[in-house]
Amino acid sequence: MARKKSEEESSEIEAVDLISLLSTPETTDSYEIELSVPEQDLDLIALGKEELREEAVKLAKAKTLLPNKEVRPIASQTLSSPTPLRPSSITPTQTISIAKPKVTSSKTINCLDALQGYENDSFEQIIKDISACQRCGLCKTRKNVVPGIGNTKAKLVLIGEAPGADEDIQGIPFVGKAGQHLDKIIAAAGFNKKDLYICNILKCRPPNNRDPNNDEMRVCTPFLQRQLALIKPKMIACLGNIACHYVIGPSMPGITRLRGQWFDSIFGIPTFAMYHPSYLIRSASREKGSPNWQMWQDIRALKAKYDESGK
Ligand code: SF4
């Protein structure tokens, strides 16, 4: 019995490794290949038949990935230039409206402490302030703060919930396994990572990768607000259930229902809900309807809106 379990575990690990073999982060069509290579081809590759791997990749490249009619239509919303965030415009409670009628039409969420006195703010100052921050207990366990990285004039900002172990060590968001998966997805969709800004709500790692709690997010959010106020993005992509619920509203349905839709958020910037890449790497399936398949629909919808929104 114990032996059987160990065999199962080892084949599971092998399957994940094979997927990464098929999709190096540098390959722009890698995610497409992942989604297109049938499971049985992956099994043949697992048997060590290298030539079959090449065949499978060729086959995947030749296929049209997914017909457009399968793409779930996104809520129509004009992505006009956002109203610049002003600290004085943020009140402790804020009403947000939801773009799609099947989701509750409006929610009042407990929001943020008002920000004041950042007229001459800069990224250097924000990083200094984060590094010195002791507003919550995570300052005691962090190795490094993880402010964010990318283009400070980005049109699109990707926001997750909190740094993990690799991020804590390097001080850079989304550098672990999940981050590499995200790199692959955004490259496959045609984004240039250098054009984006990537960060988390929390700037310090919760111990043992536990979920951030609301108090930690509330006291840390002013840093994110200051970043957004400087970047002035046209849109945000929010990654994962926790981050989406925090920025869109706590009474919203789960991420499986939110994903692929645009919402107003506490930041006053159109926000697109998506899965967190760490959820995606737990599922090896690329079948139609699987989380990875859904993510592919969503990232392409996001890219289409990104392209439509101009400079
Ligand atoms: S998580 Fe945010 S609020 Fe908490 S110590 Fe780190 S920077 Fe400060």
Side-chain angles (χ1 to χ4, degrees), residues 144-162:
N144 287 294
V145 294
V146 187
I149 192 165
N151 189 327
T152 55
K153 302 283 175 218
K155 216 163 72 166
L156 168 63
V157 175
L158 304 183
I159 300 175
E161 65 201 46

Side-chain angles (χ1 to χ4, degrees), residues 267-288:
F267 303 113
I269 297 168
T271 297
F272 192 61
M274 297 171 80
Y275 288 132
H276 194 283
S278 63
Y279 174 61
L280 300 173
I281 57 175
R282 290 198 289 270
S283 160
S285 173
R286 270 56 180 158
E287 292 292 313
K288 183 177 169 185

Side-chain angles (χ1 to χ4, degrees), residues 130 133-136 138-139 142 202-204 216 219-220 223:
I130 293 172
C133 178
Q134 299 185 359
R135 286 181 200 164
C136 81
L138 300 182
C139 66
R142 72 186 174 208
L202 289 190
K203 309 306 183 188
C204 305
E216 288 160 350
V219 295
C220 202
F223 293 125

Side-chain angles (χ1 to χ4, degrees), residues 234-247:
K234 287 192 173 182
M235 61 191 85
I236 289 171
C238 201
L239 308 174
N241 204 38
I242 292 173
C244 285
H245 273 182
Y246 183 68
V247 308

Side-chain angles (χ1 to χ4, degrees), residues 120-264:
N120 299 313
D121 212 0
S122 66
F123 277 95
E124 292 71 26
Q125 189 58 51
I126 294 171
I127 291 168
K128 257 190 212 168
D129 292 347
I130 293 172
S131 302
C133 178
Q134 299 185 359
R135 286 181 200 164
C136 81
L138 300 182
C139 66
K140 294 183 188 141
T141 50
R142 72 186 174 208
K143 288 190 173 66
N144 287 294
V145 294
V146 187
I149 192 165
N151 189 327
T152 55
K153 302 283 175 218
K155 216 163 72 166
L156 168 63
V157 175
L158 304 183
I159 300 175
E161 65 201 46
D166 293 307
E167 290 76 16
D168 185 41
I169 290 167
Q170 297 190 42
I172 301 171
F174 289 96
V175 287
K177 237 180 162 180
Q180 288 160 22
H181 194 68
L182 180 65
D183 284 352
K184 205 163 58 184
I185 294 167
I186 59 181
F191 286 109
N192 186 340
K193 196 177 171 188
K194 288 182 189 150
D195 295 335
L196 311 177
Y197 193 84
I198 302 177
C199 60
N200 286 295
I201 295 170
L202 289 190
K203 309 306 183 188
C204 305
R205 180 197 179 204
N208 304 315
N209 291 351
R210 68 159 169 77
D211 291 345
N213 66 45
N214 271 340
D215 285 344
E216 288 160 350
M217 290 194 283
R218 187 181 57 77
V219 295
C220 202
T221 299
F223 293 125
L224 177 54
Q225 284 181 274
R226 289 169 62 187
Q227 290 171 308
L228 292 173
L230 291 176
I231 298 168
K232 300 183 178 62
K234 287 192 173 182
M235 61 191 85
I236 289 171
C238 201
L239 308 174
N241 204 38
I242 292 173
C244 285
H245 273 182
Y246 183 68
V247 308
I248 296 169
S251 307
M252 293 291 100
I255 187 66
T256 53
R257 285 184 56 204
L258 288 182
R259 56 148 281 272
Q261 299 183 62
W262 287 96
F263 298 91
D264 291 336

